[in-house]
Amino acid sequence: MKKFLFSILLLSVTNLISAQEIKVKLMEYLPNDLAARTHPRPDVNGVNCALIRVIVPAVKDMKFDGWVVGDCTYQPGEYQVYVPEGAKKIKFRHENYEPGEIVFNMPIQSQCVYKVVLDIPNLSKIYVTQSSAMLAEGSRLYELRKYKEARQSYEGALAAKDVVTDLIPTIKSNIAQCDTCIAYEQYVLGAFSKIRSMKTNPDASQKELVDYASSAIEYLQVLNRYNEDEFYSSKITMLEEFIGDLPLEVRFTITRWVNNASGFFEAGRIPNVEIWQFNGDTPPVQNNYANDKKFQTMVGKSNEFTQITVTNAEGIADIQFNRKSLPTGIFFRPVGYEDKIKIQYMDMKNLLSESQGQYNKRRFRLKMFAAY
């Protein structure tokens, strides 16, 4: 979820006119913010509340009541207010401003998060201290994803002579958050660098390529939770499409594997081997395909099996898989060999990890034992 790091401006107010009206500037639903789920608060009926993030730059000690459940949490620039599902409005008050209401213009649902930005008049009359100015600059840089520079500003705010003691934990938390974002950006860059190198590496495993792309997505999701931004979400979408559209062509070469007094050796290719995909959750028990009759019985009782091709006279079969719906595993069924060559099953993940070739076209050589 996005952390609103708007800094509190430490105030010395002169000639601030009372009875000024605070207005609602923006109200929106935050579908990607999970704070109401990760930090739930039940109402009197045991139903988890919604969370309202009230963004109020430069105004501390604001009070909320009405449809409010429990105490409100404050961090620089933001009040976190829990309300029950179906709440219509909440009230706010502050000694320097006229009391007001936030009337919700959308249905308030359980475990959802909403943002309300308040427009504060006369902020131009506020005197800003050195510490608060650097804190504000750190928040601005953070919003721009300049985490190293933001960290330096927060360090300056912490070291300033006029820093307020109560704000020290918040400033340290902001610094730690910058450190996290810096680290995860490095993780993302590392994953992208690995993906680029694998595209030109003929020995690259396609499974490894997908693993690195998936890792990059996870790292970007962490960054997007800390600092929600289209910059991250667009890259997540791009990587998800990259994985989904990644070509997955596999060439199967099936050879006969025999044994005599000199040991095991290959004895030519095996044509007419049916290749079946299995889409179930749990691989079948080996006894269920111990011979061809049992295999046919097993396949006839379930719609989880689909024949996709058969090896040609050279014992070769080329298959184009859809990465978005890969099978659980593959069966290799020799036809016309009177059970002298056993049916084999291979998990799809193992098959991809053991195959060779370029990342967009894999080659897999299967040795099937022949009892003659």
Side-chain angles (χ1 to χ4, degrees), residues 198 205-212 323 349 352-353:
M198 292 177 72
S205 161
Q206 197 167 57
K207 178 181 180 299
E208 287 180 314
L209 183 70
V210 174
D211 286 345
Y212 276 105
R323 183 171 291 280
K349 292 181 180 179
L352 290 179
S353 64

Side-chain angles (χ1 to χ4, degrees), residues 243-278:
I243 293 174
D245 297 335
L246 190 67
L248 182 53
E249 183 177 337
V250 182
R251 165 165 286 192
F252 294 96
T253 301
I254 315 298
T255 63
R256 183 181 285 107
W257 190 240
V258 298
N259 183 25
N260 61 16
S262 61
F264 285 96
F265 63 95
E266 288 189 24
R269 307 283 180 83
I270 307 178
N272 205 32
V273 175
E274 293 180 353
I275 299 179
W276 292 68
Q277 71 177 27
F278 170 67

